[in-house]
Amino acid sequence: MNRLAKLLNEKNILKYGDFTLRNGSTSHYYCDIKEAFGYPKILNKITDELLKLVPKNTTCIAGSGYGGITLATLIAHKKKLPLVLVRDKVKDHGTKKAIDGYIPEKKDVVCIVDDVYTTGSSISDTRERLLTLRVKFAKPVVVLNRSRKPSILSLLTDEDLRSRRVDLKSEKIPKSPYRA
């Protein structure tokens, strides 16, 4: 079994049941990657594995949202690359910036990091905000890719977790009281 899936299962971060996802679709499992942030061993495992997926031509790392910014910060720090923080909404006070941290230049190749990819709206929104800077993009990197898009680099796929249901069940997954 995938070591990461096993760690997520051990801490009840990977849950089985009936869940409604942010996009309104339903799923028989839910993986709240942000819960993993509270466990240094799991967060280190996720970070170390994501580091291996970042394309070699990447010159800076971008993240948005609660999950993406956390992971992007860790990846940028460990890779010693500039960090681009993209706001979901432009601030209505102060400098009213949409981007904090490093502002990528035309020569940069940006790798967007996020926690979960389902429909791609978060990565698409982040990319959209950066397009005005005329940068290039590397393939995005995520922990869990729920889509079947091969253009997304990920540690876990929907198939990994759905196919593991039987294996994980034999390891006595506690029934989750959570609903997404």
Side-chain angles (χ1 to χ4, degrees):
M1 182 196 331
N2 179 305
R3 180 72 184 130
L4 179 56
K6 187 174 170 86
L7 286 170
L8 295 173
N9 179 53
E10 287 170 2
K11 295 298 182 187
N12 199 30
I13 293 166
L14 180 57
K15 300 160 178 49
Y16 287 97
D18 295 314
F19 301 94
T20 301
L21 305 177
R22 184 173 83 173
N23 69 350
S25 66
T26 58
S27 176
H28 294 296
Y29 75 89
Y30 188 76
C31 187
D32 189 352
I33 300 299
K34 289 172 275 305
E35 278 187 38
F37 296 172
Y39 299 93
K41 179 179 176 183
I42 298 173
L43 186 55
N44 281 332
K45 175 75 173 159
I46 289 171
T47 305
D48 290 346
E49 295 302 317
L50 286 175
L51 283 167
K52 297 173 189 174
L53 296 179
V54 174
K56 291 187 187 331
N57 65 335
T58 299
T59 61
C60 59
I61 304 292
S64 65
Y66 193 61
I69 285 177
T70 302
L71 294 170
T73 301
L74 292 166
I75 301 297
H77 176 74
K78 288 191 174 191
K79 280 218 164 268
K80 296 180 177 26
L81 290 173
L83 174 64
V84 182
L85 302 170
V86 181
R87 291 179 178 273
D88 295 333
K89 295 178 184 169
V90 177
K91 293 182 351 180
D92 62 358
H93 61 281
T95 58
K96 300 181 181 178
K97 295 191 293 186
I99 300 171
D100 289 312
Y102 177 72
I103 306 298
E105 301 171 7
K106 197 174 181 178
K107 66 177 174 45
D108 281 309
V109 178
V110 180
C111 178
I112 299 171
V113 177
D114 208 354
D115 55 350
V116 178
Y117 183 98
T118 303
T119 63
S121 62
S122 178
I123 287 176
S124 179
D125 291 348
T126 302
R127 184 182 170 95
E128 191 70 30
R129 291 208 186 275
L130 294 171
L131 278 175
T132 59
L133 301 173
R134 301 172 59 158
V135 299
K136 296 171 215 63
F137 294 93
K139 286 186 176 183
V141 173
V142 300
V143 179
L144 171 60
N145 182 358
R146 285 180 162 277
S147 79
R148 295 183 188 268
K149 266 193 164 177
S151 60
I152 305 298
L153 302 173
S154 65
L155 301 181
L156 297 169
T157 65
D158 191 51
E159 289 79 20
D160 289 334
L161 298 184
R162 280 191 299 153
S163 66
R164 303 252 184 257
R165 185 172 188 180
V166 174
D167 295 337
L168 293 172
K169 208 171 189 179
S170 68
E171 295 181 32
K172 297 184 172 97
I173 296 176
K175 182 134 173 80
S176 172
Y178 301 102
R179 293 290 180 258

